[in-house]
Amino acid sequence: MHRTPFDLLRLFLSLFQDMPPLSRALYLPGAVLLIGYPVLSVLLGPDQGGQAFATAFLLALAVRVGMGFEGMVRRMLTRYSVAQAVVFATLFAGIPLLVVALVDDPLWCQRMQSLFYVVIAGVFLQDVLNKRTSTAASFWPDAEMREHLPNLTKMMVVYNFGFLLLNETMIRVVEPSHWLLFWAVLPIIGHTVLRAMVLTVINLDAGHKA
């Protein structure tokens, strides 16, 4: 079935309607950040703005990592042994926290989010180049998703590089304190866009069969 660019855009936007309730894992880290930064700014004083930024970000990042750690280990178990999965997950979660804990420059915190997108996009890009779908299968393990995995793998490359560009743009055009607000709602934005992109892939695959 032939679809014009306008048809694809309309299909994509329609998928944002009737969104299901959001998991608390999407908004709780942002709530910690939005509460923690003003409180720390007052407690540490106006001359310690960078430290307040980094500390609030560290607390929120720790909450985000903690809430997502079990799922990350579960996905890694589809590719590695139990010991390897635990080690890789610990490193993947611990290194960003360690870096943020050692700095007081907001830019390091902002770049950490960009680095996350680079790493994830790189993993999926490697799968695309090697014609693999193992990473996508760890995200969508259900049997009915198997036929969509090749296109979902490509989609995740676009998704992560797109959000990398968005984050870098926000770093350049807004103040660090305003970027914190962006980071706080970023999981909700990302979840919403990802859901719409996945449904778009499924619908397009179904259209190609018709």
Side-chain angles (χ1 to χ4, degrees):
M1 179 185 299
H2 175 70
R3 297 179 187 268
T4 66
F6 178 76
D7 292 331
L8 297 179
L9 178 61
R10 184 172 56 185
L11 171 64
F12 179 73
L13 293 177
S14 71
L15 299 173
F16 289 94
Q17 299 175 0
D18 302 322
M19 290 292 295
L22 298 176
S23 166
R24 63 181 180 179
L26 295 175
Y27 59 81
L28 186 56
V32 171
L33 181 64
L34 295 180
I35 295 172
Y37 178 59
V39 171
L40 287 168
S41 296
V42 172
L43 293 177
L44 297 177
D47 296 333
Q48 298 295 323
Q51 187 62 55
F53 184 109
T55 304
F57 184 80
L58 175 63
L59 293 174
L61 184 61
V63 172
R64 181 177 293 182
V65 168
M67 298 186 77
F69 187 79
E70 181 180 351
M72 180 167 54
V73 172
R74 190 165 54 246
R75 286 191 295 272
M76 288 186 174
L77 285 173
T78 64
R79 305 182 64 176
Y80 307 107
S81 68
V82 174
Q84 289 176 321
V86 171
V87 170
F88 291 153
T90 301
L91 290 175
F92 192 75
I95 290 176
L97 292 174
L98 179 61
V99 171
V100 174
L102 296 175
V103 302
D104 59 3
D105 185 351
L107 187 59
W108 279 87
C109 304
Q110 295 171 310
R111 296 290 189 213
M112 196 60 64
Q113 186 64 39
S114 292
L115 179 62
F116 169 81
Y117 289 127
V118 169
V119 171
I120 301 301
V123 171
F124 279 101
L125 180 59
Q126 187 177 33
D127 279 2
V128 171
L129 296 176
N130 293 323
K131 301 186 185 308
R132 295 194 308 247
T133 60
S134 53
T135 306
S138 70
F139 281 82
W140 297 281
D142 297 335
E144 61 267 22
M145 297 297 289
R146 289 175 186 167
E147 62 181 300
H148 307 298
L149 293 179
N151 284 332
L152 288 173
T153 300
K154 298 173 185 176
M155 178 213 72
M156 287 298 285
V157 176
V158 175
Y159 171 85
N160 282 282
F161 278 127
F163 272 86
L164 169 64
L165 178 61
L166 174 61
N167 188 56
E168 287 298 312
T169 301
M170 294 298 291
I171 290 173
R172 284 171 167 75
V173 302
V174 302
E175 295 293 326
S177 58
H178 296 161
W179 180 87
L180 285 179
L181 177 61
F182 163 72
W183 190 87
V185 300
L186 186 56
I188 299 173
I189 298 171
H191 172 79
T192 304
V193 172
L194 181 60
R195 176 181 180 274
M197 291 181 72
V198 170
L199 292 176
T200 299
V201 168
I202 293 173
N203 287 334
L204 289 176
D205 285 345
H208 290 153
K209 288 183 176 179

